[in-house]
Structure formats: structure tokens, C-alpha cells
Amino acid sequence: EPGDAVICDIDVGSELELAGYRPLLDTRAELFCPELNGGADAWGTARHVLAGDEDAIEGTGADFAAVPSGAYPALEDSLSGLGFSLVHDDGTFAVFARKPS
């Protein structure tokens, strides 16, 4: 649903935002510039999540991830281990969704 949080990178963040979603890990500068985001370490969080750190991934509270296909293998492995499943991969972008419990 629009408004849901989505793990992503710069390649899809703007498009998700325009569609009404909440990009959590869009790596645009304004999201990790301390002067513009209240001092939060968004870049550190993004580095940890995209590297597959399961605690950091869970800390986002996201139920979805949209990333370039094959660009973040450690993230994709961790998402699978955390109950996400691949719901779309067209060779350009891969989309993961948390399995309902």
C-alpha cells in the first residue's frame, strides 16, 4: 500500500517516493546530511542494511525491499533468512516482500 516503508537504494528511491511509498534507504545526499535530517546516521544505516546486517534490516521495520537485481547479494541472502521472499525480478530490479506470519 502507498505509505509503506521500503528498503531501497538511489536507483529506485525517487520513483517510490513519487508513487507515495516511503523509501527507507534511498542514498540521496539529503537523507544522510546531518544538517537536513536531524543528525541521524542514515548513511551508516544504509551501509549496514545493504551489506546484509540482519539487525540493521530488522531495525528499519520494512516489509519490502526494491534493489537493482544482483547488486546486493548479502542483503538478498539476509532478506531470505528474515522471512522475505522474492516477488519480482525482471533482471533490472528485484523486489522482496516479507512473508505474512
Side-chain angles (χ1 to χ4, degrees):
E1 295 294 323
D4 285 346
V6 181
I7 294 171
C8 62
D9 75 352
I10 194 168
D11 292 321
V12 294
S14 297
E15 291 85 357
L16 288 169
E17 193 170 30
L18 288 171
Y21 294 91
R22 203 164 39 97
L24 286 177
L25 293 173
D26 184 340
T27 52
R28 289 174 294 166
E30 68 268 22
L31 296 182
F32 58 81
C33 176
E35 294 80 12
L36 298 175
N37 70 8
D41 184 17
W43 174 235
T45 299
R47 271 194 332 265
H48 288 284
V49 169
L50 296 174
D53 180 324
E54 291 188 3
D55 290 333
I57 293 167
E58 289 290 45
T60 68
D63 289 324
F64 305 95
V67 294
S69 297
Y72 303 102
L75 172 62
E76 292 184 16
D77 289 343
S78 293
L79 289 171
S80 295
L82 292 171
F84 286 77
S85 58
L86 181 65
V87 295
H88 173 79
D89 189 345
D90 61 9
T92 302
F93 292 104
V95 178
F96 297 82
R98 190 181 298 270
K99 297 175 186 171
S101 41

